[in-house]
């Protein structure tokens, strides 16, 4: 696991001095060493976190004839099998690192290397003779990669946007058009970012930069194609056990994260890491440490619990927003910040349970199509009218139900944590013309799933937007902020092949989510752990917002000039007061607060 950064100069030769501050900005991603390649227009840099081939895996790495140069972030779990295959084809390996299979694999197969890879990756490969840059990202988007075409023709690329800030060709400008999308989704969705001109290389895409032209192409599209034949729990467990074993390949200790939920519990049971880490709070309603400790004891693994106080939680928000690069209103990111920091004091690698909900149908909203089916049988015009009327009322359980069920699934669903409606954004934003509707991002995804069951259709939206834009991004940024590699065994191409074929009835019903996964987990876990209700890494922000000094922190942020620049201050204060007097709009408040704190980090005076 590492960080990569570099550029292809638009005019003349690359300035080696411009690469130094880029790497300094992301040094937290790889404190074990730095390497650079600068020649002609190309400058490639690498910050290394040594996990495999500790002595011989330094980057940039070169092909045998020195024509190809690569910098790589991630892990290739089938690199030993690929090494054997390529050796049989006549390739000679100089290291034991997984990075080298990318060079030889490119020489042997070109772009067809990508579907052969089992792992997480973002890499940049420079062809010195052809003067072509090739970048690629894994199918789920586990590892991030950003790029920017500057006004002078220079192409920048890096694992984190902050690496661009000190480059002389980069002009830092806010992309305010991303704000309405963020207010709907609680993260920055799609290809664009909050920095004008900076784009994400989307999951499952590659980029080619040649003759001054940037071309991006999708090389894989994960798709849910549910079958009708049930998959035995034993078969699912065998695939997951194999993935857990593959994700433990390392030359250093591999530990694990453990919450009270079935996802991390099952990975822990299959992988049996020597030690695990858990977050706790003083507030019992949000604390999963008791069940995590009990499971750790039953499995015979050590468990370290890190209790987070409200004061240190709020104090860490600026650092979290800085490391995220873009604003993120997922309060679990702050908890992850502390969890990763605790683990990094003892280990370099941890396993985590991200991806299980998207692959196996774990979100409670997936149960929607199985509940209140009588209501869905009402005429569309009646449901639409009731939904429109309910939208004029303050949010609440019954109101939310009417609004949500007032229009078809494909018109209302853009993720499991849909936040602000278009009406709410018009009321809140100082200037909004209605061009930030997230449905613009989901239309093609819904079209591609025509004819599938509702759960599979929602999964397809989530695996393309929510998973990469929130879940995996915060996992990467919060782990790498503390020089820790996070591995996600559920997000494995072999696991996905099986999960994608699960029948609809094996995912969710009116009472339960992740049905097939829970059945498989029950073969290994105690019954209570396999059946435990999803809590979603809960954080007590809802309660803390009603306490001092945290209410005053938010109120002060809402009174600053930046708040008035983007929002209507009276609406912000009204929202906070409503929450203080029994309303429940903490997520909307936290969303705005997180944006304002992020804005201070990157655009403040």
């Amino acid at each position: 696991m590492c960080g990569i950064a570099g550029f292809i100069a638009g005019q003349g030769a690359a300035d080696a001095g411009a690469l130094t501050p880029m790497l300094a900005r992301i040094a937290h991603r790889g404190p074990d060493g730095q390497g650079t390649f600068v020649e002609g227009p190309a400058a490639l840099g690498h910050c290394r976190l040594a996990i495999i081939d500790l002595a011989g895996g330094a980057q940039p790495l070169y092909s045998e004839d020195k024509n190809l140069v690569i910098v790589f972030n991630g892990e290739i779990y089938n690199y030993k099998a690929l090494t054997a295959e390529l050796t049989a084809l006549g390739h000679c390996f100089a290291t034991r690192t997984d990075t080298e299979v990318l060079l030889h694999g490119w020489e042997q197969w070109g772009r067809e290397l990508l579907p052969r890879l089992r792992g997480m990756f973002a890499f940049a490969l420079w062809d010195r003779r052809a003067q072509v840059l090739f970048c690629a990202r894994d199918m789920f988007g586990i590892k991030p990669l950003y790029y920017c075409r500057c006004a002078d023709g220079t192409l920048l690329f890096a694992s984190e946007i902050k690496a661009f800030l000190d480059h002389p060709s980069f002009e830092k400008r806010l992309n305010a058009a991303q704000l309405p999308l963020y207010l709907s989704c609680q993260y920055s969705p799609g290809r664009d970012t909050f920095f004008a001109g900076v784009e994400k290389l989307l999951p499952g895409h590659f980029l080619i930069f040649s003759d001054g032209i940037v071309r991006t192409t999708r090389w894989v599209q994960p798709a849910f194609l549910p079958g009708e034949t049930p998959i035995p729990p034993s078969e699912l467990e065998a695939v997951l056990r194999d993935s857990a074993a593959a994700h433990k390949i390392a030359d250093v200790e591999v530990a694990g994260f453990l919450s009270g939920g079935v996802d991390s519990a099952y990975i822990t049971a299959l992988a049996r890491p020597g030690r695990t880490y858990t977050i706790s709070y003083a507030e019992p309603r949000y604390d999963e440490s008791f069940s995590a400790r009990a499971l750790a004891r039953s499995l015979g693994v050590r468990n370290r619990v890190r209790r987070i106080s409200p004061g240190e939680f709020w104090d860490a928000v600026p650092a979290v927003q800085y490391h995220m690069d873009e604003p993120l209103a997922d309060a679990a990111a702050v908890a992850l910040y502390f969890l990763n920091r605790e683990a990094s004091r003892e280990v370099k690698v941890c396993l985590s349970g991200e991806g299980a909900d998207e692959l196996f149908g774990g979100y409670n909203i997936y149960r929607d199509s199985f509940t209140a089916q009588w209501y869905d049988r009402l005429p569309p015009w009646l449901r639409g009218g009731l939904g429109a009327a309910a939208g004029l009322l303050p949010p609440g359980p019954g109101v939310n139900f009417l609004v949500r069920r007032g229009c078809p699934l494909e018109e209302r669903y853009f993720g499991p944590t849909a936040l602000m409606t278009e009406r709410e954004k018009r009321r809140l934003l100082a200037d909004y013309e209605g061009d930030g509707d997230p449905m613009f991002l989901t239309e093609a995804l819904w079209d591609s799933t025509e004819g599938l069951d509702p759960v599979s259709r929602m999964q397809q939206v989530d695996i393309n937007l929510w998973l990469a834009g929130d879940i995996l991004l915060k996992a990467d940024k919060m782990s790498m902020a503390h020089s820790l590699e996070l591995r996600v065994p559920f997000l494995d191409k072999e696991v996905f092949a099986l999960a994608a074929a699960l029948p609809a009835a094996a995912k969710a019903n009116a009472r339960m989510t992740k049905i097939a996964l829970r059945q498989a987990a029950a073969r290994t876990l105690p019954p209570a752990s396999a059946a435990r209700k999803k809590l979603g890494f809960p954080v007590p922000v809802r309660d803390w917002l009603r306490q001092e000094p945290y209410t005053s922190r938010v109120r002060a942020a809402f009174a600053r000039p930046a708040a008035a620049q983007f929002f209507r201050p009276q609406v912000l204060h009204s929202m906070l007061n409503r929450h203080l007097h029994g309303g429940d709009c903490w997520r909307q408040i936290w969303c705005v607060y997180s944006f304002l704190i992020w804005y201070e980090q990157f655009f403040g005076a």
Side-chain angles (χ1 to χ4, degrees):
M1 182 70 66
C2 309
I4 65 174
F7 60 93
I8 309 300
Q11 301 171 14
D15 177 9
L19 189 57
T20 302
M22 295 182 74
L23 295 177
R25 284 276 191 175
I26 60 169
H28 50 272
R29 297 187 72 93
D32 295 335
Q34 287 189 9
T36 61
F37 166 84
V38 180
E39 178 187 82
L44 280 67
H46 185 261
C47 299
R48 188 184 186 208
L49 183 65
I51 303 297
I52 292 176
D53 193 359
L54 306 186
Q59 297 182 42
L61 204 62
Y62 300 82
S63 59
E64 289 178 80
D65 64 359
K66 306 298 183 185
N67 178 55
L68 302 178
V69 190
I70 193 169
V71 286
F72 162 56
N73 172 30
E75 300 290 352
I76 307 301
Y77 302 118
N78 62 336
Y79 80 99
K80 291 182 179 178
L82 289 172
T83 297
E85 183 178 0
L86 288 162
T87 299
L89 291 169
H91 294 264
C92 296
F93 283 74
T95 73
R96 295 186 298 105
T97 179
D98 55 341
T99 308
E100 196 170 355
V101 302
L102 301 176
L103 290 168
H104 293 290
W106 179 264
E107 290 176 319
Q108 184 68 38
W109 300 303
R111 300 175 198 174
E112 293 307 309
L113 162 70
L114 299 178
R116 295 172 179 263
L117 300 175
R118 182 183 190 183
M120 54 183 183
F121 56 85
F123 66 83
L125 186 150
W126 175 248
D127 187 314
R128 299 167 76 178
R129 282 193 295 268
Q131 300 280 282
V132 174
L133 179 73
F134 181 86
C135 301
R137 195 173 175 204
D138 65 71
M139 66 187 291
F140 299 110
I142 305 171
K143 294 290 98 189
L145 190 63
Y146 302 92
Y147 64 96
C148 175
R149 188 75 190 282
C150 302
D152 66 359
T154 298
L155 179 74
L156 307 175
F157 65 88
S159 301
E160 300 186 13
I161 298 174
K162 62 180 66 68
F164 301 159
L165 298 177
D166 301 311
H167 193 282
S169 296
F170 182 69
E171 181 185 357
K172 185 179 69 173
R173 292 181 294 114
L174 179 71
N175 175 21
Q178 201 70 0
L179 179 57
L181 289 169
Y182 161 78
L183 293 175
S184 290
C185 300
Q186 84 172 22
Y187 63 95
S188 174
R191 186 187 303 272
D192 293 334
T193 72
F194 270 88
F195 292 85
V198 176
E199 298 183 33
K200 306 155 193 161
L201 182 61
L202 294 176
H205 282 67
F206 63 74
L207 174 152
I208 297 175
F209 183 60
S210 176
D211 297 324
I213 300 173
V214 177
R215 300 177 180 88
T216 61
T217 304
R218 178 180 283 280
W219 65 268
V220 63
Q221 171 64 79
F224 291 92
L225 298 171
E228 296 183 2
T229 305
I231 295 175
S234 58
E235 184 178 345
L236 182 53
E237 179 174 306
V239 172
L240 283 166
R241 190 177 295 278
D242 176 68
S243 179
H247 282 68
K248 287 190 71 177
I249 295 173
D251 293 336
V252 297
E253 180 184 354
V254 177
F257 290 164
L258 184 60
S259 69
V262 65
D263 306 338
S264 63
Y266 196 20
I267 292 299
T268 300
L270 295 175
R272 298 299 172 106
R275 53 183 120 198
T276 57
Y277 301 88
T278 301
I279 284 296
S280 78
Y281 304 98
E283 294 82 359
R285 175 183 175 186
Y286 302 93
D287 189 14
E288 297 185 272
S289 63
F290 179 80
S291 56
R293 281 195 190 101
L295 178 63
R297 284 195 297 268
S298 72
L299 296 177
V301 301
R302 285 178 288 174
N303 181 241
R304 180 185 291 275
V305 176
R306 172 63 159 88
R307 172 161 288 190
I308 305 176
S309 71
E312 63 183 347
F313 182 98
W314 285 81
D315 287 345
V317 174
V320 168
Q321 295 300 330
Y322 173 77
H323 280 289
M324 284 303 307
D325 279 335
E326 297 189 82
L328 180 70
D330 188 340
V334 186
L336 273 177
Y337 180 84
F338 286 99
L339 181 61
N340 280 279
R341 188 169 76 178
E342 188 69 25
S344 69
R345 291 170 175 162
E346 298 179 318
V347 297
K348 281 187 172 184
V349 184
C350 278
L351 304 179
S352 191
E354 279 83 358
D357 292 315
E358 291 78 11
L359 265 64
F360 293 97
Y363 292 116
N364 286 324
I365 198 167
Y366 292 167
R367 298 166 49 233
D368 256 18
S369 60
F370 304 101
T371 60
Q373 292 179 329
W374 62 269
Y375 189 81
D376 291 335
R377 288 193 287 270
L378 294 176
W381 62 266
L382 178 57
R383 285 186 282 114
L386 291 171
L392 301 175
L393 302 173
V399 170
N400 295 343
F401 171 85
L402 292 173
V403 172
R404 193 170 64 247
R405 302 297 269 268
C407 54
L409 185 65
E410 56 267 36
E411 292 182 16
R412 60 179 163 84
Y413 188 80
F414 51 88
T417 57
L419 198 51
M420 298 192 193
T421 65
E422 292 302 291
R423 178 176 173 270
E424 289 171 328
K425 288 188 292 186
R426 287 189 180 91
R427 180 170 177 263
L428 175 64
L429 288 166
D431 181 22
Y432 182 51
E433 297 180 358
D435 52 355
D437 190 334
M439 294 305 158
F440 298 144
L441 299 172
T442 59
E443 184 177 7
L445 295 170
W446 284 112
D447 289 346
S448 71
T449 59
E450 187 69 41
L452 296 184
D453 63 277
V455 173
S456 296
R457 301 190 78 185
M458 287 188 281
Q459 285 178 288
Q460 194 67 37
V461 171
D462 290 340
I463 202 171
N464 280 276
L465 293 175
W466 165 254
L467 179 65
D470 182 307
I471 298 295
L472 292 176
L473 198 63
K474 75 174 186 281
D476 172 85
K477 299 291 180 66
M478 295 301 95
S479 60
M480 295 311 296
H482 301 294
S483 308
L484 185 80
E485 174 171 299
L486 201 62
R487 298 181 175 183
V488 283
F490 283 114
L491 293 175
D492 173 81
K493 69 176 187 177
E494 304 301 331
V495 175
F496 180 77
L498 202 62
L502 283 172
K507 299 174 184 178
N509 57 32
R511 297 177 298 103
M512 186 183 298
T513 60
K514 286 186 288 204
I515 296 171
L517 183 66
R518 294 181 190 279
Q519 290 172 345
R523 295 167 50 87
T524 305
L525 291 175
S529 295
R532 184 164 284 114
K533 180 181 177 182
K534 179 177 178 60
L535 294 180
F537 209 23
V539 177
V541 172
R542 173 189 281 111
D543 298 347
W544 292 338
L545 276 170
R546 297 189 176 107
Q547 303 170 12
E548 290 293 353
Y550 314 114
T551 302
S552 293
R553 288 196 188 195
V554 174
R555 199 179 297 281
F558 286 179
R560 292 177 193 142
Q565 179 181 347
F566 300 103
F567 307 102
R568 292 190 171 97
Q570 69 273 22
V571 178
L572 293 179
H573 291 291
S574 172
M575 190 163 56
L576 180 58
N577 290 333
R578 189 164 67 249
H579 185 78
L580 292 175
H581 292 90
D584 188 10
C585 43
W586 77 269
R587 290 179 56 223
Q588 290 83 352
I589 294 168
W590 186 255
C591 186
V592 174
Y593 180 75
S594 297
F595 169 78
L596 293 172
I597 297 299
W598 168 85
Y599 186 80
E600 286 181 1
Q601 306 310 301
F602 288 98
F603 292 92

